[in-house]
Amino acid sequence: MTRRGFISQGAGVIATATAAAAAEPLNGKEVNHVPHTTLHRIEADGVSVFYRAAGPTDGPVLLLLHGFPTSSFQYRNLIPLLADRYRVIAPDLPGFGFTEIPSSRQYRYTFDNLARTVEAFADVLQLKRYALYVFDYGPPTGFRLAMAHPNELPRSFHKMAMRT
């Protein structure tokens, strides 16, 4: 499969999940509320990472990595659509949004370093398995994580990607 095919299949999975979340009742009950998105900050890799989170803490994890020149704010409308079924986490990448890097850190803004920081972020949050949704800067960052830890991506996500 080509990289473009893989990316378009991933987008199809999220589009399908989003449409299902918006249109289907949850466990036979109508969803009458919009899940609340909370704002957080944690230290990872010497960086104060700002992130948005919503959904059940024991749900399957979706890690949303934004693109240039935005931040996790890019996903403000998507997060509530997915949060009734998934634990959705969207960090601001270093250099974007509210994530802060001390000048003494002398951070080099490379995709390798962005991936290293996101990996440290996932470790601090104790994310053992998660699916990635990536856009623009997200793919070269997130795919480095996937290549470094291919067994940590949920098998059910692989099956969903193959059906779309």
Side-chain angles (χ1 to χ4, degrees), residues 6 10 13-14 17 59-65 75 82 86-91 118 121-122 127-134 142-143 145-146 149-161:
F6 178 77
V13 168
I14 294 298
V61 178
L62 288 174
L63 186 61
L64 310 180
L65 300 180
Y75 298 119
L82 298 172
Y86 303 99
R87 179 180 179 197
V88 184
I89 300 171
V118 172
F121 169 79
L127 304 179
K128 301 296 182 213
R129 295 174 63 83
Y130 50 86
L132 292 168
Y133 178 76
V134 295
F143 292 166
L145 296 174
H149 307 284
N151 295 327
E152 293 178 13
L153 294 173
R155 292 196 192 289
S156 60
F157 185 72
H158 292 289
K159 289 178 186 174
M160 286 190 326

Side-chain angles (χ1 to χ4, degrees), residues 3-154:
R3 182 173 8 152
R4 183 173 296 200
F6 178 77
I7 291 169
S8 66
Q9 282 189 349
V13 168
I14 294 298
T16 301
T18 303
E24 294 179 9
L26 180 62
N27 297 328
K29 300 176 188 172
E30 284 296 321
V31 178
N32 295 330
H33 71 284
V34 174
H36 181 68
T37 301
T38 56
L39 308 177
H40 307 269
R41 182 178 294 282
I42 61 168
E43 295 291 324
D45 188 35
V47 175
S48 178
V49 180
F50 173 88
Y51 68 100
R52 298 165 198 274
T57 57
D58 62 344
V61 178
L62 288 174
L63 186 61
L64 310 180
L65 300 180
H66 66 81
F68 177 84
T70 68
S71 66
S72 60
F73 184 73
Q74 169 180 336
Y75 298 119
R76 68 192 175 283
N77 296 323
L78 180 61
I79 292 170
L81 293 174
L82 298 172
D84 61 340
R85 297 168 190 229
Y86 303 99
R87 179 180 179 197
V88 184
I89 300 171
D92 286 357
L93 294 174
F96 300 93
F98 296 111
T99 289
E100 298 174 352
I101 303 165
S103 58
S104 61
R105 174 72 169 72
Q106 297 183 351
Y107 196 89
R108 293 190 59 225
Y109 297 92
T110 65
F111 290 120
D112 286 337
N113 286 340
L114 292 175
R116 189 171 298 113
T117 300
V118 172
E119 181 173 27
F121 169 79
D123 288 345
V124 170
L125 290 179
Q126 299 179 347
L127 304 179
K128 301 296 182 213
R129 295 174 63 83
Y130 50 86
L132 292 168
Y133 178 76
V134 295
F135 175 79
D136 193 50
Y137 269 38
T141 302
F143 292 166
R144 279 171 169 76
L145 296 174
M147 290 179 357
H149 307 284
N151 295 327
E152 293 178 13
L153 294 173

